[in-house]
Structures are given as structure tokens and as C-alpha cells.
Amino acid sequence: MRGAWAGLAAAAAALGLALAVSVWRRRPRPVREVLFFPSQLVCTEALLAEAAAPGAGSRPCPCPLPRGDCALSRLLRRLLSARRSLELCLFAFSSPQLACAVQLLHRRGVRVRVVTDAQSMAMKGSQIGLLRHAGIQVRHDQESGYMHHKFAIVDGRMLLTGSLNWTTQAIQSNRENVLVLEDEEYVKAFLDEFERIWEEFDPRNYRSFPKDNK
Amino acid sequence: MRGAWAGLAAAAAALGLALAVSVWRRRPRPVREVLFFPSQLVCTEALLAEAAAPGAGSRPCPCPLPRGDCALSRLLRRLLSARRSLELCLFAFSSPQLACAVQLLHRRGVRVRVVTDAQSMAMKGSQIGLLRHAGIQVRHDQESGYMHHKFAIVDGRMLLTGSLNWTTQAIQSNRENVLVLEDEEYVKAFLDEFERIWEEFDPRNYRSFPKDNK
């Protein structure tokens, strides 16, 4: 009788172990990616249309650009995966495609917060005005130095950071990099930095006189 | 007799396991760090003097700056840990302290290679001329876009990358970040990018006419 119980216990232990291994193996591997730019020029309309209304991405786009995968489309895809929150801490933001993706997320109910550089956002082509007009919260510095970060945090779980300003020039012409990491430790460090800056750049702290010359 | 052998085998197995665990636990944890700027202003003379000649760092420095740890001193320490190679891929390089560290590594026999942006290296305060004068290999772009990366690879094992250009303005006044990672996968991706650019920027490929206006 004692032998039968021992056999049963051993079988249960083996089953438990097999189950644990199976769950562990099915757990999606954290994202670890590096995107290098300049990005090939491809059509991103289908990607944005699909994110706006499922099924719409299958309609043909009349533009002459080739279809396919590129660093920009991969960056867009990572951003469009946001379901709850998106923090952006960007020196310069003038890319229409990336602005389109951010507005789309805002319309979808994702809480978007943007921190940017006051001098850069006043430059021609900046998308910051459009984002504000769409109702997205934006805060900027009033410092003598630049708010020179270029990072994004998706759903408090994925960090995108590197040398890339979100401009068409940077995407299409410069040598740039963006690291994509699903890594709790790094995400926490950047989220803490974002919250620090967000509080510091609270409009209640803005001075009324113009920014000092940089 | 058979029991004695079995006991001996079990003891050997236990000893082997204990040894393996001890080696594994003593293996240094891979570096994972984030440096945020602006950096506090501290004296870095002792750090550089110590790296140039062990023992020299204990001599008092007459400068009025406080002593202590800061983002710049931590960045310097990571760089000065190089023993074999240092790859630098930097849009702008005008920080005298960082240039001093790079020259010191070069004198110590570390193979230093620098890739930079042609337009930026022609700007006032750039340290690139000094590095070249010291015999360090430098290559630059001849493209219409910017060579906008800001990364370093130490001994082919540690990656330092982020938003920080190596300028005094960026270090002392801007909001910036540098990720420090000892991570084989990311280091390989950036080293491959460096080697690609290094080959592309081979002086034999330079055109003789001036760079197009950006």
C-alpha cells in the first residue's frame, strides 16, 4: 500500500514538473531588438489604417512606395502595440507617420503623455502643436539646456530608446539606433526619469518670461 | 565494498555540484546601469591621474570643484576599464575630460577607433583633431545625413549608448541618458553596425569635393 502511494506521489511530481516546464516554455520571450536607421522608404499606410480599423489595412494604397518591413515600420508596430499608456520624452518630433500613430493611440483611449524641448517644438514641421490640438497632454522644459532624451515607454513594460529624434530627416537620412527592451529594471529607471521630468515641467512652474538663449 | 564505492561517488558528485555553484555565484554579474544627465560638477582629475599612473590619484588637486561620484565620473570609469579595444561612434565630441580618457587608453595600448560626423567634427571645440594628432584612427561620413549615433563599445563586451553627445553642454546642462550593458546580443548588434560604418567610411572611398549642404 505504501509503495502505491509513493508511486502516485512520484507521478504527481513528474506531472507538475512537466506542466511548469510547459508554461515556462510558452511564456513569450521578452522583446530584445535593435533598430538601425536610415530606414528604407516603404509605405506605412496599411499599417496605420489597420491599427485605426481592423481590416482596413488590406485595402490597396495608391502611393508609389514599395510594401515591406523596415526600421520605421517596426518602430511603428512596437508603438501601436500600446493598450494602456505611452510616455514620450522626445527632443524633436516632426515625423507625420509617428504623429499619426500617437494620435491614433490617443483616440483608442491609450493615456499618452509627451515631454519635449521648448526650442525644438517651436521649429517648422514640429508635430507637437497637432498633438496638443488633438487633446494630448504635452509638457516642455524652461531650462537653459536641452531636453535631449529620445525615449518612449509602452504600457509601462517596453522601453524604446536611442539616438533617433522622431524626425523625417533622422528616419530617412541619418545613421541612428533605437534599442527596444522589455526589461523591468531599465523600464523602471526610465519611467522614474519621465515622472521626475513630468513633475518638474508642470505648467504651474512655468515662468512667463521667454526662455534664455541657448 | 559496493556500498563504499557508491558513497564515494555520491560524495564526489556533491563536491562537484558545490564547486559549480560556488564558481557560478562568484562570476561577476553583468553590468546593467543607466546614467542620467545633467551630471553634477565634480573634480575628475584624480580619476584620470590614477588611470594614467596608479597612485597618482591620491595627490590633492587644487581645483575648487567638489570630489565625489557623478554620472560623468561613472561614464569615465566604464571607459577607463578598457584593456584591449574601444570603438567610438559619436556624432559630436568636444568634452576635454572624455578626450583625455580616450588618449590615455590609446597611450596604454588599447586599440581605439573613432567614427564621427564630418560636419560636427569641424565645429569649434571638437576634440577630434587632437585625437588624430595623438595617432588615434578616425573616420567620418561623406553623406547628406548625419552620423548621429552616440555609442561606445569597451573590449567587445560592454555597450554604452544613449542620447548623450560627448560635449560639455550635453554633460553639464542637458537632460540625457546613457545605458550601460554587458549583453552579448546587443554588443554584437552594435559592433556589427560599427564595422559596417568603419568599412563604408574607409578614406579610400572619400570623394574629393566638399560635403553637400545638409
Side-chain angles (χ1 to χ4, degrees):
Chain A
M1 192 61 193
R2 206 170 143 195
W5 277 114
L8 204 63
L15 192 69
L17 189 67
L19 204 67
V21 167
S22 150
V23 167
W24 179 77
R25 289 185 67 176
R26 269 185 217 167
R27 205 177 48 174
R29 194 182 169 240
V31 172
R32 296 164 57 81
E33 194 176 15
V34 189
L35 307 176
F36 288 113
F37 295 80
S39 177
Q40 201 193 335
L41 260 183
V42 304
C43 176
T44 54
E45 281 309 307
L47 189 61
L48 291 165
E50 183 65 33
S58 53
R59 277 178 232 142
C61 171
C63 86
L65 290 173
R67 275 73 184 140
D69 200 31
C70 66
L72 174 60
S73 64
R74 287 159 75 191
L75 177 58
L76 278 167
R77 233 176 247 122
R78 293 296 180 203
L79 292 171
L80 291 168
S81 73
R83 291 293 171 265
R84 296 186 313 279
S85 61
L86 178 68
E87 281 81 28
L88 299 178
C89 203
L90 294 168
F91 171 64
F93 193 161
S94 66
S95 158
Q97 291 101 322
L98 288 165
C100 184
V102 171
Q103 283 175 278
L104 204 151
L105 290 173
H106 171 66
R107 283 199 299 275
R108 216 201 250 165
V110 170
R111 183 179 75 148
V112 180
R113 291 183 294 166
V114 181
V115 161
T116 191
D117 181 81
Q119 196 153 318
S120 163
M121 81 179 191
M123 287 175 81
K124 203 181 148 192
S126 171
Q127 299 284 324
I128 295 292
L130 275 174
L131 299 185
R132 273 195 161 147
H133 189 74
I136 292 170
Q137 303 176 76
V138 177
R139 294 187 179 180
H140 60 78
D141 67 320
Q142 270 213 331
E143 297 173 334
S144 59
Y146 291 106
M147 204 314 293
H148 201 243
H149 285 305
K150 310 116 180 11
F151 69 81
I153 301 165
V154 175
D155 287 342
R157 72 173 160 82
M158 190 196 293
L159 170 68
L160 299 98
T161 186
S163 66
L164 186 89
N165 288 311
W166 286 19
T167 69
T168 304
Q169 145 92 24
I171 292 164
Q172 291 182 7
S173 308
N174 292 358
R175 308 275 178 156
E176 306 272 7
N177 66 76
V178 175
L179 258 90
V180 188
L181 312 114
E182 261 182 348
D183 182 301
E184 224 172 287
E185 208 174 319
Y186 286 119
V187 168
K188 187 184 178 315
F190 278 80
L191 205 48
D192 288 351
E193 172 75 352
F194 182 91
E195 297 293 357
R196 257 194 306 272
I197 297 180
W198 185 254
E199 287 311 311
E200 277 186 58
F201 292 1
D202 189 315
R204 283 170 292 190
N205 303 332
Y206 289 173
R207 301 183 308 272
S208 56
F209 48 87
K211 192 172 179 177
D212 302 334
N213 187 25
K214 290 179 197 173
Chain B
M1 193 60 193
R2 210 169 139 194
W5 277 114
L8 205 62
L15 193 69
L17 189 68
L19 204 66
V21 167
S22 148
V23 167
W24 179 77
R25 289 185 67 176
R26 268 185 217 168
R27 204 176 51 171
R29 194 181 170 240
V31 173
R32 295 164 57 81
E33 192 176 18
V34 189
L35 307 176
F36 288 113
F37 294 80
S39 176
Q40 200 195 334
L41 261 185
V42 303
C43 175
T44 53
E45 281 309 306
L47 190 61
L48 291 165
E50 183 66 33
S58 54
R59 275 178 236 144
C61 171
C63 86
L65 290 174
R67 274 74 187 142
D69 201 31
C70 66
L72 174 60
S73 65
R74 286 158 77 189
L75 176 59
L76 279 167
R77 235 177 246 121
R78 293 295 179 204
L79 292 170
L80 290 168
S81 73
R83 292 291 172 266
R84 295 187 313 279
S85 61
L86 178 68
E87 282 79 29
L88 300 178
C89 203
L90 293 169
F91 172 64
F93 193 163
S94 66
S95 158
Q97 290 102 323
L98 287 164
C100 184
V102 171
Q103 283 175 278
L104 203 152
L105 290 172
H106 171 67
R107 282 200 299 275
R108 216 200 253 166
V110 171
R111 184 179 75 148
V112 180
R113 291 183 293 165
V114 181
V115 162
T116 191
D117 182 80
Q119 196 154 319
S120 163
M121 81 179 193
M123 287 175 80
K124 202 181 148 190
S126 171
Q127 299 284 324
I128 296 292
L130 274 174
L131 299 186
R132 272 195 162 148
H133 189 73
I136 292 171
Q137 304 176 76
V138 177
R139 294 187 179 180
H140 60 79
D141 67 321
Q142 271 215 330
E143 297 172 332
S144 59
Y146 291 106
M147 204 313 293
H148 201 242
H149 285 306
K150 307 117 180 18
F151 70 83
I153 301 165
V154 174
D155 288 341
R157 70 172 164 82
M158 190 196 294
L159 170 68
L160 299 98
T161 186
S163 66
L164 185 88
N165 289 311
W166 286 18
T167 68
T168 303
Q169 145 92 23
I171 293 165
Q172 291 181 7
S173 308
N174 292 358
R175 306 274 178 158
E176 307 272 6
N177 65 77
V178 175
L179 258 89
V180 188
L181 315 112
E182 260 182 348
D183 182 302
E184 224 172 288
E185 209 173 320
Y186 286 118
V187 167
K188 187 183 179 316
F190 278 79
L191 204 48
D192 288 350
E193 172 76 353
F194 182 90
E195 296 295 355
R196 259 193 306 274
I197 296 181
W198 185 254
E199 285 313 309
E200 278 185 59
F201 292 1
D202 188 316
R204 284 169 294 190
N205 303 332
Y206 288 174
R207 302 183 307 273
S208 57
F209 48 87
K211 192 171 181 180
D212 302 337
N213 187 22
K214 290 180 198 172

